[in-house]
């Protein structure tokens, strides 16, 4: 938070990034009298990732066969790398240094697709429920495997094992079943596999395209979820024939916010007015388990008496 201009010292500006910084600018202004200082989304993602990879010990890890292995990052040999941010959609960014990057690709089949299709197909009411369901599901019920096509055997000649998915959701063509006859957990599992596999594959192909050795996956879609990470890792392993490894970040969901926060550094700290916003909007903080709850005991012109937010600890 900072004074934007000396003349209007009561004005509050906060850094914000992503589409929300545009979409909700008027709402913040009207309800909270806060102006959003917009920072570029890709720039913030890269700033956040570079910061985490350099400053946080054991930030990056690989995940294969249920094993998490932390990766030592050599600061002098970090660039170039591919950053894959999986939010609603997916952005793939080639990072060459601090502030040096290019968004080289992306895909519209992302976290929003998983959640959107999952909601329609399973009637789940929230994302966590859908993710939880996928734990118990079996994707082979709906996915058409190579073995289903080849009478239970591998197609070894071209390196396809019987258990490789030949066609996501392919069994639904000939099963003659209605949606209600499939278990929501199997649907969720197939969906998660389809989306994660596809992202892993496109990421690897882009890394190959630019000769990049390292691929870091981030974004709120991953949420440290074992099966998601496992599927992405297997996809990268499969397509690269074991040459490349997918890496994940412990603070995967906060790159943009972190990058936006770090852009304050460029300005004088004298301008910060945290005390003002705290006076105007006092908050009380409490914790339970691994969550932090913040209640905004405010005189804000909101419908609710307080806002609850929870932050997962790592
Ligand atoms: N509790 C949750 N509620 C909703 N979605 C969640 C939740 N946890 C994880 N997700 C996943 O995170 C995705 C959104 O991620 P994120 O907030 O990083 O992206 P975004 O900023 O909306 O998207 P984009 O980067 O495309 O602008 C959702 O589509 C969903 O797959
Ligand atoms: C549009 C953004 C950049 C917004 O964050 C993101 O949702 C995204 O990268 N979508 C994928 C767009 C595409 O490259 O097909």
């Amino acid at each position: 938070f900072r004074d934007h201009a000396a003349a209007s010292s009561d004005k509050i500006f906060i850094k914000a990034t992503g589409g929300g910084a545009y979409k909700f600018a008027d709402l913040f202004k009207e309800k909270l009298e806060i102006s959003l200082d917009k920072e570029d989304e890709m720039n913030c993602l890269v700033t956040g990732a570079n910061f985490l990879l350099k400053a946080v010990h054991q930030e990056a890890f690989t995940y294969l066969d249920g094993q998490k292995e932390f990766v030592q990052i050599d600061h002098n040999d970090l660039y170039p790398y591919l950053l894959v941010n999986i939010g609603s959609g997916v952005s793939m960014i080639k990072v060459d240094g601090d502030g040096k990057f290019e968004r080289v690709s992306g895909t519209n089949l992302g976290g929003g697709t998983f959640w959107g299709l999952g909601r329609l197909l399973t009637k789940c009411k929230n994302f966590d429920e859908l993710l939880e369901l996928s734990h118990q599901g079996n994707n082979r019920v709906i996915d058409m495997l190579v073995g289903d096509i080849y009478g239970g055997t591998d197609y070894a000649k071209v390196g396809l094992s019987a258990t490789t998915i030949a066609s996501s959701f392919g069994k639904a063509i000939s099963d003659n079943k209605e949606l209600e006859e499939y278990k929501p957990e199997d649907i969720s599992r197939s969906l998660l596999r389809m989306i994660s596999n596809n992202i892993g594959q496109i990421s690897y192909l882009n890394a190959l395209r630019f000769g990049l050795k390292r691929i870091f996956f981030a974004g709120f879609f991953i949420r440290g979820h074992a099966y998601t990470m496992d599927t992405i890792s297997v996809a990268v392993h499969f397509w690269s024939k074991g040459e490349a490894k997918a890496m994940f970040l412990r603070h995967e969901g906060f790159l943009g916010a972190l990058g936006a926060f770090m852009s304050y550094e460029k300005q004088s700290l004298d301008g910060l007015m945290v005390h003002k916003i705290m006076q105007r909007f006092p908050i009380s903080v409490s914790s339970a388990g691994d969550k932090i709850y913040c209640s905004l005991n405010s005189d804000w012109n909101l419908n609710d008496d307080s806002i609850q937010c929870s932050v997962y600890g790592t």
Side-chain angles (χ1 to χ4, degrees):
F1 318 103
R2 67 181 173 92
D3 277 349
H4 205 55
S8 54
S9 59
D10 266 356
K11 273 195 175 168
I12 295 174
F13 283 79
I14 56 172
K15 295 286 187 187
T17 188
Y22 291 81
K23 196 168 165 184
F24 301 118
D26 289 346
L27 195 66
F28 268 80
K29 188 98 196 148
E30 188 192 320
K31 299 277 185 192
L32 308 174
E33 290 170 43
I34 287 175
S35 298
L36 299 185
D37 214 353
K38 301 176 189 67
E39 292 288 330
D40 177 71
E41 178 181 347
M42 299 298 143
N43 201 11
C44 287
L45 287 172
V46 171
T47 305
N50 282 346
F51 169 78
L52 289 170
L53 288 167
K54 287 186 206 160
V56 181
H57 180 57
Q58 298 197 324
E59 175 63 27
F61 60 91
T62 56
Y63 195 91
L64 264 180
D65 303 324
Q67 293 295 315
K68 190 182 205 175
E69 214 169 282
F70 287 104
V71 180
Q72 286 299 107
I73 301 291
D74 178 353
H75 293 195
N76 299 317
D77 185 30
L78 173 62
Y79 309 112
Y81 68 83
L82 187 72
L83 176 63
V84 180
N85 191 66
I86 316 175
S88 303
V90 186
S91 283
M92 295 170 191
I93 311 164
K94 176 172 167 283
V95 182
D96 290 300
D98 278 330
K100 282 196 217 151
F101 63 87
E102 188 190 347
R103 184 183 185 278
V104 292
S105 193
T107 165
N108 52 349
L109 301 185
T113 320
F114 171 67
W115 179 205
L117 275 178
R119 209 177 139 266
L120 289 176
L121 295 173
T122 68
K123 308 274 183 274
C124 273
K125 290 283 175 277
N126 64 59
F127 180 87
D128 289 320
E129 197 184 327
L130 182 66
L131 204 57
E132 188 65 35
L133 270 184
S134 73
H135 281 243
Q136 301 133 35
N138 177 3
N139 72 296
R140 295 179 189 196
V141 175
I142 308 175
D143 290 343
M144 189 187 283
L145 308 186
V146 170
D148 295 323
I149 297 173
Y150 272 81
T153 63
D154 298 338
Y155 182 9
K157 202 173 161 194
V158 296
L160 292 171
S161 77
T163 54
T164 302
I165 299 174
S167 171
S168 290
F169 285 82
K171 273 201 186 126
I173 303 171
S174 49
D175 270 352
N176 251 331
K177 286 203 249 177
E178 295 303 314
L179 181 58
E180 299 69 39
E181 294 174 72
Y182 289 103
K183 288 188 194 159
E185 46 268 48
D186 296 337
I187 294 176
S188 174
R189 185 102 172 175
S190 286
L191 205 48
L192 186 59
R193 200 88 206 249
M194 180 177 88
I195 300 294
S196 306
N197 222 354
N198 192 55
I199 294 171
Q201 178 177 9
I202 297 174
S203 303
Y204 168 66
L205 291 175
N206 274 290
L208 192 68
R209 186 175 154 212
F210 295 100
L212 307 174
K213 285 186 290 179
R214 285 165 287 247
I215 313 174
F216 294 103
F217 290 88
F220 206 48
F221 168 71
I222 300 176
R223 293 275 300 273
H225 188 249
Y227 192 66
T228 308
M229 295 192 293
D230 206 62
T231 308
I232 291 175
S233 300
V234 168
V236 170
H237 182 84
F238 178 83
W239 288 101
S240 71
K241 298 194 168 63
E243 291 280 301
K245 267 189 188 153
M247 288 181 271
F248 302 91
L249 302 179
R250 264 169 65 205
H251 300 91
E252 74 223 331
F254 308 102
L255 301 192
L258 194 56
F261 179 73
M262 288 183 68
S263 64
Y264 282 115
E265 252 188 22
K266 289 183 235 141
Q267 294 140 6
S268 155
L269 284 175
D270 297 343
L272 285 173
M273 47 185 293
V274 175
H275 61 284
K276 268 189 196 149
I277 202 167
M278 293 303 282
Q279 270 169 6
R280 208 191 288 183
F281 310 123
I283 63 170
S284 59
V285 180
S286 59
S287 65
D290 60 352
K291 290 182 180 175
I292 301 168
Y293 294 91
C294 310
S295 300
L296 301 168
N297 319 316
S298 68
D299 55 359
W300 293 0
N301 200 12
L302 298 172
N303 295 334
D304 290 325
D305 289 334
S306 68
I307 296 172
Q308 297 263 321
C309 62
S310 69
V311 180
Y312 288 92
T314 51

